[in-house]
Amino acid sequence: MTPNEGLRVALSQARQQTDSLFDLVHPAALYERPIPERHRIIFYLGHLEAFDWNLLSGALDLPAFHAGFDQLFSFGIDPGSQDLPTDQPADWPAADEVRAYSARVRGGLHTALAQAPARLLHVAIEHRLMHAETFAYMLHHLPFAQKTPPASAAMAPSGPAPQMRMVEIPGGTATLGQKRDGGFGWDNEFEQHQVPVPAFSIAQYKVTNGDYLEFVKAGAAAPHFWTCRQGRWCYHGMFEDIPLPLDWPVYVSLDEAQAYARWKGMSLPTEAQFHRAAYHGGAEEAAAFALENVDFRSWDPEPVTASPRNALGVSQMVGNGWEWTATRFEPFAGFEPFPFYPGYSANFFDGQHYVLKGGSPRTAGCLLRPSFRNWFRPAYPYIYATFRLVEN
Ligand SMILES: [Fe+2]
């Protein structure tokens, strides 16, 4: 085995994953901006390679060959700023130039990767896989006519929404974060610690489109992923609109989730409550996660009833949509930013972002570890984010 062989294979698989996403975009749409707060698609074509280059070239002593692109494609936009980006397609280089840069980055890194520190390779792999998800939800909001479905894009069947049922979770401690001497984790996953959690009850299922439809009938606005066709609500899927699947989880912003919970006289789980209900440890649990609607298995959700209950009687805590928590994204005690990527988490400890846990149909399998934390702003409506209710 040559050094880093497993990680180099994982990086090459992650590259195939992101390359296949760009192949779905019609060439003329590369300069579109499907989400007004984010960069145009062309940025991401350069960003994934520029990130790897900026991360690894210093450590590997590789000389810059296109400092302009290294800079242009270095960072995305945090979609919280008040002003929407105003750049024009003509402000960006031609796609062929970006592809040539990308090829040269991969060629330049190729032989050197065996010498790269393993932690940096993990960062490159997981950064790319996280973008495989954020890029998918960006593509989700690109008009159907500007993308080509892959051969297998069938949607799950749907049926009536199940009855809501609450499950008692006994009081105890939740273990958050991970140990320093364990496997790879991002800066915000450290350090491991215990949080006491009093007994509470949590819904067996995620809140469904059918549940949320009652709220909309009572006057709430429809979520971003719904569209009205001839007076009937549809779910706006990745490649087609379908009549609202009542037993699928509803994709919502945190603001919408909290408004629904208030309407029901309930709450959203805290991050610690989520851990109590979701994670019990052991190989069996990890094997169960692999069977969920995760790891690029599908483009859209499936029914909330499609998974077996876990040991506590709760279904689908992991997969089929991230779950919003009521917890602000903050550092754990002992937090230390990565010296090579100081802003990864620290730029978002501003009280304006909330933690999501679990994973979506487009979340890579390696990101399903219990300590992984995702975070977004409460009003951000574009992501694969679901929720469930708790009673304290
Ligand atoms: Fe990035």
Side-chain angles (χ1 to χ4, degrees):
M1 224 132 114
T2 50
N4 291 336
E5 189 167 317
L7 290 170
R8 286 189 293 157
V9 169
L11 179 59
S12 123
Q13 286 168 344
R15 284 173 174 165
Q16 283 169 24
Q17 182 61 240
T18 50
D19 289 352
S20 70
L21 288 172
F22 286 105
D23 290 343
L24 304 179
V25 181
H26 292 189
L30 279 175
Y31 292 81
E32 294 293 321
R33 190 198 306 279
I35 296 183
E37 294 92 333
R38 296 274 187 190
H39 272 309
R40 294 174 189 279
I41 290 173
I42 187 74
F43 167 82
Y44 296 91
L45 193 62
H47 173 63
L48 292 171
E49 312 309 325
F51 180 89
D52 289 357
W53 181 260
N54 291 333
L55 178 73
L56 293 162
S57 61
L60 298 173
D61 232 358
L62 300 169
F65 65 91
H66 201 322
F69 278 13
D70 298 345
Q71 172 66 30
L72 178 66
F73 293 111
S74 59
F75 287 109
I77 302 175
D78 174 28
S81 70
Q82 295 301 314
D83 307 315
L84 295 177
T86 56
D87 57 273
Q88 297 301 309
D91 297 334
W92 293 90
D96 283 350
E97 279 179 71
V98 183
R99 288 190 198 278
Y101 167 82
S102 297
R104 199 155 161 203
V105 166
R106 290 189 189 183
L109 290 177
H110 183 69
T111 46
L113 285 179
Q115 276 74 53
R119 184 156 77 152
L120 296 191
L121 285 181
H122 279 287
V123 166
I125 292 161
E126 293 205 358
H127 170 262
R128 183 177 289 269
L129 290 172
M130 283 189 253
H131 272 293
E133 174 162 5
T134 56
F135 192 74
Y137 75 67
M138 184 168 286
L139 269 189
H140 206 116
H141 298 91
L142 189 69
F144 298 137
Q146 294 180 330
K147 54 190 171 185
T148 307
S152 57
M155 288 169 122
S158 67
Q163 279 291 320
M164 185 173 72
R165 196 180 141 260
M166 300 303 281
V167 176
E168 289 288 321
I169 306 293
T173 53
T175 302
L176 275 66
Q178 63 160 298
K179 292 198 180 112
R180 289 254 180 231
D181 53 5
F184 173 76
W186 290 87
D187 54 3
N188 65 66
E189 294 173 53
F190 301 98
E191 305 227 336
Q192 191 177 82
H193 60 287
Q194 258 76 37
V195 180
V197 183
F200 64 102
S201 55
I202 190 164
Q204 180 187 343
Y205 300 120
K206 298 174 189 291
V207 173
T208 62
N209 286 313
D211 297 331
Y212 204 87
L213 183 60
E214 298 304 313
F215 190 37
V216 170
K217 284 179 181 165
H224 185 77
F225 280 82
W226 292 14
T227 181
C228 195
R229 299 214 159 196
Q230 283 132 19
R232 299 192 59 182
W233 287 114
C234 289
Y235 164 74
H236 181 67
M238 177 62 115
F239 297 110
E240 58 178 316
D241 291 342
I242 56 167
L244 198 65
L246 298 177
D247 58 351
W248 290 14
V250 62
Y251 283 156
V252 287
S253 69
L254 176 61
D255 288 340
E256 290 165 334
Q258 282 178 325
Y260 179 88
R262 276 195 300 275
W263 183 64
K264 285 281 183 187
M266 293 198 230
S267 316
L268 263 57
T270 63
E271 187 177 10
Q273 284 177 325
F274 185 95
H275 274 257
R276 280 291 296 162
Y279 305 121
H280 312 283
E284 261 172 53
E285 182 184 78
F289 294 164
L291 301 174
E292 298 286 354
N293 187 12
V294 291
D295 203 24
F296 313 115
R297 208 180 82 191
S298 58
W299 297 95
D300 292 289
E302 62 183 17
V304 296
T305 50
S307 313
R309 292 181 288 174
N310 73 11
L312 292 175
V314 190
S315 297
Q316 244 170 39
M317 295 296 289
V318 169
N320 213 25
W322 291 94
E323 292 199 12
W324 285 108
T325 74
T327 299
R328 275 203 192 93
F329 183 53
E330 283 170 355
F332 294 153
F335 169 81
E336 282 172 27
F338 284 160
F340 48 84
Y341 194 172
Y344 173 70
S345 303
N347 287 357
F348 304 93
F349 295 146
D350 55 3
Q352 307 290 313
H353 294 78
Y354 284 77
V355 174
L356 297 95
K357 297 289 295 184
S360 87
R362 306 304 303 175
T363 305
C366 65
L367 305 179
L368 301 178
R369 59 178 177 269
S371 57
F372 189 83
R373 308 167 83 200
N374 196 358
W375 63 92
F376 277 98
R377 290 175 185 269
Y380 199 59
Y382 306 107
I383 53 175
Y384 300 139
T386 67
F387 72 112
R388 79 178 71 215
L389 299 174
V390 299
E391 244 172 351
N392 293 303

